Structure formats: C-alpha cells, structure tokens
Amino acid sequence: MIAVPALVMAISACALGVDIGREAVDKRFDQKVADLAALDAARALDGILGTTDQAGYNAAAQTAAVASAARNGFVVGVNTRAITATVGALDPTTNNFTAAG
C-alpha cells in the first residue's frame, strides 16, 4: 500500500532532478556564448578605436557578437533568443566602467 505513493514520489523527485540539471546545462551554455560574444565584440572594436562615434561602436560590437554567437550554436531569433551588445566607457582615473546602453 505504501509502495505506490513512494514510487510516485520517487518518479517526481527524479523528474525534478532532470529538470534542474537541464536548467544548469542551459545556463552554462548561455554564459559561454555570452563570454565569447563579448570577447569577439571587443576585438571588433580594435579597428575603429580613436573615434567618438558611439553608434559605430555599438553597430560593430553588435555585428561581431551576433556572428560569434552563431558560430557557437546560439541562433538569434529562434525561441525568442536575442543578443544586444553596447559599448561602455572606462574612466582611467577612477577605474569605473559605465555601460552606455
């Protein structure tokens, strides 16, 4: 008589464990893609530094970030996935970073 509720509880616990594990894997993948996209966006800005065109910086960073994400299996637009890259500024005297977006 106790076996049926125990079995239902065990199956529920297993299902919850699988769901939590899948969420952790998805989170790790998303963080990896974000880190790689940020690095590629920063590299893309190397060629246009020295200007004050914030829109140009943002466009170059966005293009590089989307291309990097696509190379790493993160397709923008599928399942409402999106990437937004904006360029900030670092104050060299205080070492404070300000995001511009």
Side-chain angles (χ1 to χ4, degrees), residues 25-37 62-84:
V25 168
D26 287 346
K27 184 177 179 181
R28 188 177 311 133
F29 173 76
D30 290 346
Q31 186 63 53
K32 177 192 81 161
V33 169
D35 291 344
L36 291 170
Q62 180 70 22
T63 301
V66 169
S68 174
R71 279 193 312 272
N72 290 290
F74 186 93
V75 182
V76 176
V78 174
N79 295 332
T80 66
R81 290 179 163 182
I83 291 182
T84 303

Side-chain angles (χ1 to χ4, degrees), residues 2 14 17 30 35 39-40 52-53 61 68 70 72 84 86-87 90:
I2 288 185
C14 288
D30 290 346
D35 291 344
L39 287 171
D40 284 343
T52 57
D53 182 17
S68 174
N72 290 290
T84 303
T86 57
V87 179
L90 178 67

Side-chain angles (χ1 to χ4, degrees), residues 3-4 9-10 12-13 20 25 30 33-34 42-43 48 60 70 78 80 96 98-99:
V4 172
M9 207 163 78
S12 298
I20 290 172
V25 168
D30 290 346
V33 169
R43 284 187 197 109
I48 63 171
V78 174
T80 66
N96 286 333
T98 305

Side-chain angles (χ1 to χ4, degrees), residues 38 42 45 54 58 85-101:
L45 296 179
Q54 185 69 36
N58 287 341
T86 57
V87 179
L90 178 67
D91 183 352
T93 58
T94 63
N95 278 341
N96 286 333
F97 179 79
T98 305

